Amino acid sequence: MGPCTSAPAIDDLVRARVPLGTFELTVCTDGTYLLDGGAMFGVVPKTMWQKRSPADEQNRILLGLNTAVVRTGTHTVVIETGIGNKQNEKMREIHRNKELLPRSLAAAGVNPDEVDIVINSHLHFDHCGWNTTLHPDGTVTPTFPKARYFAHRGEVEHGHRQLDRDRVSYLSPNYDPLIESGQMTLLTNEGIRKDSQIVPGISVELFPGHTRQLMAVHIESEGQHACYISDLIPTSAHLDPTWVMGYDLDPLEAIEQKKRFYKRAIPENWLVLFTHDHHTPMARIELNDKGKPMVKALR
Ligand SMILES: [Zn+2]
């Protein structure tokens, strides 16, 4: 398959599937959820963002929870695991999340037992929820029993600090049991600098701003390059470098990191995966006549 732009959604459960070199790249979903539109667009005026993301009567916008599954031929790699099933009733009522990832993986023909690598770009609740599964008896077990999980040590430390600003975003049952059992490898900046590869064709790179240790995941095969950029560019409505989220811990840094990302992603024609875009899970990017990044049109 030649360069494609936004891949067509296959159905509600499997959002996209494309070959990438010799790899197969599938976008599964934990379903949609709702977040405050103002928080998602920071200082951008509502009159501008609502044209791209219409808000409901409570000012909430519809977002996706995209999990990328990469079959390299040797490994089955899962990137991000959605919100999961550990939200209490109040949080489920707020977010209206769907807990679909197990069904989505099944629809895509991905058996949790075949997954050998899970990567979390960061440890916010909506990125690592199905790392573990909550059972009716209250126990929590790894959703991917045979996988080695990877996350950044700084994210775990930040989550454990339970700061006023963002403690609601960090739910330790999503990672502590995996750390305690030795199933999760904690990456460090120094370690990533020395060797960013997780398995051949899959590597991580720091893009701080949303959190201090946000990691993008590069997927590369036979000259084709896809990148799961996570919450640096959460949806295709966030392509403008200045359209950063109110959630970002360091918006100035996020703006600089987006510019740094585009310096490679645009000329090298990367397939960019959007973590929270339900309708455009992936796209290639180009600059419009005003020099602003936009989704590349099919031609
Ligand atoms: Zn997120």
Side-chain angles (χ1 to χ4, degrees), residues 33 35 40 64-65 80 121-122 124-127 210 230-231 234 245 247 275-276:
Y33 73 133
L35 285 179
M40 279 305 286
L65 292 159
E80 310 291 71
S121 68
H122 62 305
H124 282 167
F125 77 100
D126 52 344
H127 292 259
H210 178 64
S230 187
D231 274 339
M245 291 191 279
Y247 296 111
T275 184
H276 293 311

Side-chain angles (χ1 to χ4, degrees), residues 182-233:
Q183 204 175 339
M184 178 176 265
T185 297
L186 297 181
L187 303 169
T188 61
N189 289 8
E190 203 195 356
I192 293 169
R193 223 174 291 128
K194 278 192 199 137
D195 182 8
S196 62
Q197 181 176 283
I198 303 294
V199 294
I202 307 283
S203 60
V204 293
E205 180 179 355
L206 289 158
F207 281 93
H210 178 64
T211 65
R212 283 192 194 95
Q213 287 92 16
L214 184 92
M215 299 187 297
V217 183
H218 294 290
I219 307 152
E220 296 169 81
S221 174
E222 308 222 308
Q224 294 282 309
H225 194 144
C227 185
Y228 194 106
I229 192 58
S230 187
D231 274 339
L232 185 69
I233 311 172

Side-chain angles (χ1 to χ4, degrees), residues 99-128:
E99 303 183 0
L100 282 183
L101 188 60
R103 278 177 56 198
S104 173
L105 292 171
V110 178
N111 183 334
D113 278 340
E114 76 176 274
V115 173
D116 42 23
I117 303 286
V118 175
I119 305 172
N120 299 137
S121 68
H122 62 305
L123 292 174
H124 282 167
F125 77 100
D126 52 344
H127 292 259
C128 58

